[in-house]
Amino acid sequence: MANDMSQNPEFQSLLKQVVEQSIPFCRLIGLQVQSFASDRPELRLAMRNDLLGNFAQGMLHGGVIASVLDSVAGVAILLRLAQTQPREDAYAQIREFGLMSTIDLRIDYLKPGKGNAFIATAEVTRLGKRVANVLMELRNEEGERIATGAAAFMLHGKA
């Protein structure tokens, strides 16, 4: 698509800044954007002791897992919107992030959250006029699937 805003360097820079610096919780846990692929973006999380849920066994907290999967779902939707419904500029496109909200989130914890780093990916399965559906997964650095998720987001809400 000629107007594909998802691959616009200014938009990508803004998205990286929003995820890594502007969203306080994402900044707190150290979430980093690894890929801007509009069909399957990636976020990375490095393991730290303050992210442990089970400190005796060194496992990532389940709430952190859910938050990372929720975050990558939002990024996937924003990138798909930028690809299929490009706005006039990068700033107008990034404002769409503030108009989305999670309305349903399901997480399946498959394995203990052990590892030195984790990669979350997401795929938008449906982009409707008001609701988007997404499938997500979290793997450790060895490729072991730790958790999967499914989410629904309200689009174009009122800020």
Side-chain angles (χ1 to χ4, degrees):
M1 176 177 282
N3 295 331
D4 184 351
M5 184 64 75
S6 70
Q7 299 308 306
N8 177 298
E10 184 180 21
F11 171 71
Q12 290 181 352
S13 177
L14 286 170
L15 178 55
K16 185 173 180 67
Q17 179 182 339
V18 166
V19 171
E20 296 179 3
Q21 298 170 22
S22 299
I23 301 173
F25 188 73
C26 291
R27 185 178 66 237
L28 178 72
I29 64 173
L31 211 50
Q32 298 179 321
V33 178
Q34 293 294 293
S35 167
F36 294 100
S38 56
D39 61 336
R40 198 164 186 82
E42 294 182 0
L43 299 182
R44 183 182 187 279
L45 178 71
M47 176 58 101
R48 300 189 328 245
N49 285 339
D50 53 348
L51 299 179
L52 296 175
N54 184 326
F55 63 90
Q57 295 188 37
M59 295 188 305
L60 190 61
H61 192 285
V64 172
I65 292 171
S67 295
V68 169
L69 291 176
D70 183 48
S71 296
V72 77
V75 167
I77 294 167
L78 188 64
L79 284 164
R80 181 63 64 83
L81 285 169
Q83 180 184 45
T84 62
Q85 300 171 30
R87 300 292 184 230
E88 61 274 9
D89 61 44
Y91 289 94
Q93 195 74 56
I94 205 73
R95 280 194 286 277
E96 288 291 321
F97 215 3
L99 302 176
M100 298 180 339
S101 58
T102 309
I103 56 175
D104 187 49
L105 179 67
R106 176 194 164 89
I107 306 298
D108 291 315
Y109 299 95
L110 306 174
K111 282 189 156 192
K114 292 185 175 186
N116 295 313
F118 302 91
I119 297 290
T121 58
E123 176 187 1
V124 177
T125 57
R126 180 180 177 275
L127 185 63
K129 290 183 180 183
R130 297 203 178 252
V131 176
N133 300 92
V134 188
L135 295 175
M136 308 85 72
E137 79 173 9
L138 183 75
R139 292 179 182 262
N140 65 14
E141 77 278 7
E142 305 215 352
E144 297 175 310
R145 187 180 291 127
I146 303 300
T148 58
F153 278 66
M154 181 68 67
L155 305 176
H156 315 298
K158 293 185 180 181

